[in-house]
Amino acid sequence: MSDPMRASGAKEFTPGWVGAAAAAEPPSAPGGARPAISFAYGVPDPALFPAEALAAAGKDALLQHGDRALQYGAVLGLPQLIAGLLARLRDREGLDLAPGQCLITAGSSQAIGLVAHALIAPGDAVLLETPAWPGVINALRRYQARAIPVPMDQEGLDPAALEQTLARLQAEGVRPKLLYTVPTYQNPTGITMTAGRRAAVLALARRYDLLILEDDAYRDIAFDAPPPPSLLALDVDGRVLRTGTYSKILAAGLRLGWLLGPAAAISRISAVKDDGGTSPFASYVTATFAEAGALEAHIALLVNAYREKRDAMLRALERAFPPGAQWTRPAGGFFIWVTLPEGLDSGALLPRARAAGVDFLPGRACFPDPADGARYIRLAFSQGTPDEIEDGIARLAGVIAAAR
Ligand SMILES: Cc1ncc(COP(=O)(O)O)c(C=O)c1O
């Protein structure tokens, strides 16, 4: 996947995670005879939620800490939760961050929104690794940013293209406010930026005095070797903000995420967060769950389950998809990115796929310019059993074969 990712065409925009509620209701198959499956959204598998352990943590939070768990909280977040998170980052990644370098947010979506709120004025240029998560495309629209796509390939964001874009903008007198990237198990492609590219991107950021927003939502869903160090871990001069989330490693309904970065930036961004503190109750539940040592075991269980789903999807694609189709082989995360054979439009396929009982996200939802992306499909393998996934891919292959 190189050139085709840089330019193709289509129009429809389907919100990504915003449509999560819709994803809970899969498309109905004709006659209701065959069960239907959705590959449209990166929604965690509800069968994997640790509901009983969270219930115990919730009871503990209410009975042991009710006076604080049910009260407004500190703007940066619950100190116990921050301490546990920072200890985990120290143990796993050797990151040494102070409590003032972490802001607990209502999911990483809120973290991204707060960064945009604090830093972006209407018309500001923002560099966007493309294809991109539709949620961030929406957020940039909401803040009236001018999204400037920077292409990627199998090794992640392309530093040569980034350099060209930065040079062009500099010649035009335009200073981009930030670069948004998901370097690890990217949404939508599943691609991981190589260590060499990470160093090259940071070197360019230093040269052009560019701020980076690193969205690290999927780092812990690692199927093979651990991923390369994050941009934040490689940063030497305080130009990287990194978001993360409990949505993919514990439960999306907790609505808990975080923002990490230089203390001055965290302070500036927390100044626009006047909401009485991110849910102290959810924070106590999560901190109690993590303190009891349950988080690492739970993540290991998730990784095994999602690896099986990825393998099932890759096997099925191999078996059923036509020659001329290509797809990524993610080492982690929730997504596979498919390039359809020449001449096919994923938006046109969608109604037929839904009629066959399978749903996906058309690639055009992942490009800031709706004219791009027609040839691509994002498939989320996070929901459904391996058997359901194989069945869904077979149905989708049937739809593609009929359209050729
Ligand atoms: C890349 C990426 N960033 C951020 C989010 C937002 O997640 P949350 O707000 O639940 O933390 C998602 C969810 O799908 C995502 O895929």
Side-chain angles (χ1 to χ4, degrees):
M1 176 189 39
S2 51
D3 285 346
M5 193 181 265
R6 289 162 194 258
S8 34
K11 274 185 193 62
E12 169 194 291
F13 179 77
T14 311
W17 65 279
V18 179
E25 283 184 69
S28 52
R34 298 189 302 169
I37 184 162
S38 176
F39 300 135
Y41 302 108
V43 178
D45 185 344
L48 299 170
F49 292 147
E52 276 186 29
L54 287 176
K59 187 171 176 191
D60 189 69
L62 290 173
L63 297 182
Q64 305 295 321
H65 309 284
D67 53 340
R68 281 190 261 159
L70 299 176
Q71 188 56 280
Y72 291 114
V75 69
L76 285 186
L78 185 74
Q80 288 93 314
L81 186 67
I82 295 175
L85 176 60
L86 297 188
R88 182 165 194 269
L89 293 169
R90 199 168 301 124
D91 289 351
R92 297 180 60 83
E93 299 180 46
L95 264 180
D96 197 13
L97 300 176
Q101 295 184 266
C102 176
L103 173 66
I104 299 293
T105 55
S108 49
S109 325
Q110 190 193 31
I112 294 165
L114 289 171
V115 171
H117 186 138
L119 302 182
I120 297 174
D124 277 350
V126 170
L127 299 173
L128 182 66
E129 173 186 75
T130 303
W133 171 49
V136 81
I137 298 177
N138 271 342
L140 293 178
R141 283 202 185 119
R142 204 162 46 244
Y143 287 94
Q144 298 173 54
R146 181 157 71 96
I148 300 179
V150 183
M152 55 184 293
D153 60 20
Q154 294 289 356
E155 296 186 12
L157 186 69
D158 178 353
L162 176 62
E163 183 164 16
Q164 264 178 17
T165 308
L166 285 166
R168 174 172 58 80
L169 291 174
Q170 192 174 59
E172 292 168 6
V174 174
R175 181 124 189 256
K177 275 291 165 69
L178 54 88
L179 162 69
Y180 171 88
T181 170
V182 186
T184 305
Y185 317 138
Q186 200 232 17
N187 181 357
T189 63
I191 287 170
T192 294
M193 195 191 294
T194 60
R197 290 264 176 111
R198 289 173 196 238
V201 167
L202 276 168
L204 283 169
R206 277 195 292 280
R207 174 133 52 96
Y208 286 87
D209 194 15
L210 177 67
L211 183 71
I212 298 178
L213 178 54
E214 173 181 38
D215 184 338
D216 212 15
Y218 297 96
R219 164 166 295 270
D220 288 305
I221 309 296
F223 303 139
D224 308 319
S230 71
L231 295 171
L232 178 69
L234 299 170
D235 180 27
V236 290
D237 57 355
R239 60 179 64 260
V240 179
L241 293 165
R242 167 174 148 188
T243 62
T245 180
Y246 287 101
S247 292
K248 316 296 176 179
I249 56 172
L250 187 50
L254 291 165
R255 302 311 301 128
L256 283 182
W258 59 85
L259 179 69
L260 308 171
I266 294 295
S267 163
R268 181 172 168 196
I269 291 158
S270 63
V272 300
K273 186 178 182 297
D274 43 9
D275 58 1
T278 299
S279 173
F281 176 61
S283 299
Y284 263 110
V285 172
T286 303
T288 305
F289 181 88
E291 276 161 20
L295 187 59
E296 298 313 319
H298 183 64
I299 293 174
L301 179 148
L302 293 180
V303 166
N304 282 333
Y306 289 124
R307 187 194 294 109
E308 274 184 33
K309 293 168 190 274
R310 174 206 59 177
D311 290 346
M313 188 172 274
L314 286 175
R315 258 195 322 271
L317 286 166
E318 211 63 69
R319 190 180 314 130
F321 263 39
Q326 295 170 42
W327 53 89
T328 56
R329 288 172 176 73
F334 283 2
F335 305 100
I336 289 175
W337 182 248
V338 176
T339 306
L340 292 171
E342 194 85 49
L344 287 183
D345 178 330
S346 63
L349 289 182
L350 188 60
R352 295 178 230 173
R354 285 182 172 157
V358 59
D359 201 6
F360 61 80
L361 187 77
R364 66 184 72 178
C366 303
F367 290 79
D369 181 348
D372 291 333
R375 229 182 123 185
Y376 306 105
I377 284 180
R378 188 191 73 179
L379 297 173
F381 50 79
S382 50
Q383 299 188 78
T385 64
D387 282 351
E388 287 165 344
I389 290 171
E390 293 194 33
D391 178 42
I393 293 297
R395 293 180 195 207
L396 191 50
V399 170
I400 293 171
R404 294 185 82 205

